[in-house]
């Protein structure tokens, strides 16, 4: 399936978001760096994007993965929100399909359009979102020194690995294949070779 945004464009989303969110940070927050706050805000919206895409496509296709994993994505959002509340980092709770970051809005629209083509396409969209999520979480873990953020991102990444395995299994059952778009082939193969993980 040809995605409507290329890999470079998607990779720039996180970079763009850091600058966008940093500009509206609370002035008094000595515990987190501006980049830490921005990463939390961005990952909250990226997890929301996953939930929103799966909710929208799940209403169209009778796919267990979409319907089950959307609830996990809400849990991911809640986990990030809990840390933002703890550190008094501002964030918005927006309606389905709406985001502060215009790039995420474009990505949501593109992914939903792709996923309406077929059940296989919807599963591929799910795998693509989890693929991206794993890489973004890894990048943000490498740029923070806050243990609580590293811990929650590690747990979310664990969940995304399970989600990726579930989506790829569905793709295979539909007679398709998935090629990683953000993970290296080596990292992707290692995830697929692993068993379902306990992420708590």
């Amino acid at each position: 399936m040809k995605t409507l945004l290329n890999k470079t464009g998607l990779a720039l989303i996180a970079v763009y978001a850091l600058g966008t969110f940093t500009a509206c940070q609370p002035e008094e927050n000595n515990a987190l760096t501006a980049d830490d706050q921005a990463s939390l805000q961005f990952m909250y919206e990226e997890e929301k994007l996953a939930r929103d895409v799966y909710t929208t496509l799940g209403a169209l296709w009778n796919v267990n993965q979409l319907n089950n994993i959307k609830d996990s994505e809400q849990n991911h959002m809640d986990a990030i929100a809990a840390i933002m509340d703890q550190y008094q980092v501002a964030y918005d709770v927006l309606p389905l399909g709406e985001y502060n970051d215009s790039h995420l809005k474009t990505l949501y629209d593109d992914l939903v359009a792709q996923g309406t083509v077929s059940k296989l396409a919807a599963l591929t969209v799910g795998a693509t979102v989890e693929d991206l999520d794993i890489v973004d979480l890894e990048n943000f873990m490498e740029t923070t020194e806050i243990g609580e953020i590293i811990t929650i991102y590690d747990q979310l990444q664990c969940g995304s690995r399970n989600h990726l395995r579930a989506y790829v299994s569905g793709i295979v059952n539909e007679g398709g294949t998935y090629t990683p778009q953000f993970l290296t082939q080596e990292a992707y193969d290692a995830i697929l070779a692993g068993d379902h993980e306990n992420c708590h």
Side-chain angles (χ1 to χ4, degrees), residues 44-91:
Y44 179 81
E45 287 217 311
E46 188 169 285
E47 299 293 349
K48 178 182 182 298
L49 177 141
R51 184 205 65 182
D52 292 355
V53 168
Y54 303 162
T55 298
T56 302
L57 295 180
L60 181 63
W61 303 106
N62 184 24
V63 175
N64 288 335
Q65 287 91 336
L66 292 169
N67 293 324
N68 293 334
I69 295 175
K70 70 179 175 63
D71 294 331
S72 294
E73 300 301 344
Q74 180 64 61
N75 292 335
H76 289 191
M77 291 170 60
D78 294 343
I80 297 173
I83 290 185
M84 290 195 287
D85 289 341
Q86 176 183 340
Y87 285 97
Q88 299 182 332
V89 177
Y91 63 97

Side-chain angles (χ1 to χ4, degrees), residues 98-135:
E98 295 185 18
Y99 310 90
N100 283 310
D101 189 296
S102 61
H103 291 74
L104 288 177
K105 171 58 177 173
T106 298
L107 181 57
Y108 168 81
D109 291 340
D110 290 346
L111 290 171
V112 168
Q114 293 170 30
T116 59
V117 173
S118 67
K119 184 183 294 187
L120 176 59
L123 288 163
T124 302
V125 163
T128 301
V129 171
E130 300 302 334
D131 184 353
L132 175 63
D133 202 35
I134 292 168
V135 171

